[in-house]
Amino acid sequence: MDDLKNSHGYRYLQETKFDDQTLWRQQRLEIEPAEPYKVYSEAKKVKLPTDWKIGRSLNDILQYRRSCRRYADKPLSMQDLAVLLWACQGISGRAGSFFFRTAPSAGALYPVETYLSIQNVETLVPGLYHFQPAEFALGKIHDGFAGYKVADAALGQNFLAKAGVVFIWSAILRRNFSKYGHRGLRYVMMDAGHICQNLLLAAEGLELGACPVAAFYDDEFNRLLGLDGEEESVIYLAAVGAKE
Ligand SMILES: Cc1cc2nc3c(=O)[nH]c(=O)nc-3n(C[C@H](O)[C@H](O)[C@H](O)COP(=O)(O)O)c2cc1C
């Protein structure tokens, strides 16, 4: 018996289709928006360098990018980390007080927040950090090496503990759902895909190894970062390290 039509995913796609007969009659959901980006005002700040450039051609980057799960015991530089963060969520344009980022976002709502498990980056104390795009800085939210907890929470994928850094992306659904309602979930996940792909390409541009990861225990990651798993929940990860 084929249960495709009983799956949540199938029903979600059916129920959130646009069609020109009903689109304009659909009632908009009453969902309050959320702040455009999160700020950890108490967190100790680390400014990121801006003196870097990716020298490799896009042609080579696309040709040679491959998921890499074996990392050398060699720290990433702060420049490397800055490039990676800029590629996934850097501010690349402004319109008044409004910021545009390196990755596109439906309605320019940017519902995805970036956290890092810093594990082997020169001059940075291992710990959990939050990326603050407006200041191009990190806010430290937890001290101490979290690599083994991260690997355990990712179904025991041990290569995550050996990475120099693990990117952990969460979604603040309210930011998007206040405009797009039920259909918004499609867009949030697409946004995350764009962000992750930018990261993977930038990593290859620096000749670093990277791997996207979506197999993880959601609430273990939420607990690790102190997120409630409702207003904000982890949706995607990627590991980056020096290639072996
Ligand atoms: C949404 C998504 C989730 C993934 N999750 C994992 C994962 O949990 N663990 C893993 O080792 N690789 C994961 N991967 C990497 C894929 O296995 C990999 O992209 C695929 O085998 C194709 O290989 P390539 O990336 O080298 O081209 C994921 C990739 C995507 C796009």
Side-chain angles (χ1 to χ4, degrees):
M1 155 99 173
D2 184 353
D3 269 340
L4 174 73
K5 290 187 179 175
N6 286 325
S7 69
H8 294 303
Y10 177 90
R11 292 211 305 273
Y12 175 75
L13 283 177
Q14 293 305 317
E15 287 167 19
T16 58
K17 278 182 173 169
F18 274 166
D19 83 69
D20 65 353
Q21 299 306 305
T22 57
L23 177 61
W24 307 112
R25 277 185 269 129
Q26 276 168 21
Q27 231 183 340
R28 203 172 160 142
L29 292 177
E30 298 281 325
I31 296 175
E32 288 293 315
E35 80 291 346
Y37 50 85
K38 211 170 158 182
V39 177
Y40 284 83
S41 46
E42 306 292 300
K44 189 166 171 261
K45 272 204 193 100
V46 183
K47 282 295 264 182
L48 291 156
T50 50
D51 55 331
W52 39 256
K53 181 156 142 236
I54 302 177
R56 234 170 147 201
S57 75
L58 182 58
N59 197 77
D60 280 3
I61 291 172
L62 291 169
Q63 177 64 47
Y64 295 112
R65 183 214 61 81
R66 199 83 292 141
S67 291
C68 167
R69 302 173 183 85
R70 293 169 73 91
Y71 307 116
D73 186 15
K74 185 172 159 220
L76 302 190
S77 69
M78 282 299 281
Q79 268 79 10
D80 288 342
L81 185 67
V83 173
L84 298 171
L85 282 161
W86 186 76
C88 60
Q89 278 294 269
I91 290 173
S92 53
R94 291 171 197 242
S97 60
F98 192 81
F99 301 133
F100 292 99
R101 315 263 177 107
T102 48
S105 172
L109 293 168
Y110 307 104
V112 176
E113 292 282 329
T114 302
Y115 297 85
L116 304 174
S117 173
I118 294 289
Q119 301 173 174
N120 195 4
V121 178
E122 62 177 25
T123 73
L124 258 191
V125 180
L128 297 171
Y129 292 74
H130 172 255
F131 176 51
Q132 311 195 342
E135 297 174 66
F136 201 54
L138 297 177
K140 197 199 302 166
I141 52 179
H142 217 284
D143 250 330
F145 181 82
Y148 297 115
K149 286 187 191 155
V150 164
D152 284 351
L155 278 59
Q157 299 190 71
N158 292 328
F159 70 91
L160 290 173
K162 305 268 188 221
V165 55
V166 177
F167 284 71
I168 308 169
W169 290 292
S170 72
I172 298 186
L173 299 178
R174 194 177 278 285
R175 268 185 212 152
N176 177 291
F177 285 19
S178 58
K179 178 167 184 188
Y180 293 115
H182 298 298
R183 194 170 164 93
L185 185 61
R186 296 173 179 240
Y187 302 160
V188 172
M189 297 305 173
M190 290 176 199
D191 277 20
H194 292 301
I195 291 169
C196 185
Q197 182 68 2
N198 273 13
L199 174 78
L200 301 176
L201 296 179
E204 187 54 42
L206 299 168
E207 303 202 42
L208 298 171
C211 184
V213 169
F216 57 86
Y217 300 119
D218 307 60
D219 283 333
E220 285 199 25
F221 270 100
N222 291 329
R223 275 192 291 276
L224 195 66
L225 295 171
L227 309 180
D228 66 1
E230 292 180 357
E231 286 288 327
E232 182 177 2
S233 196
V234 170
I235 55 168
Y236 204 12
L237 319 170
V240 184
K243 284 185 189 172
E244 215 177 51

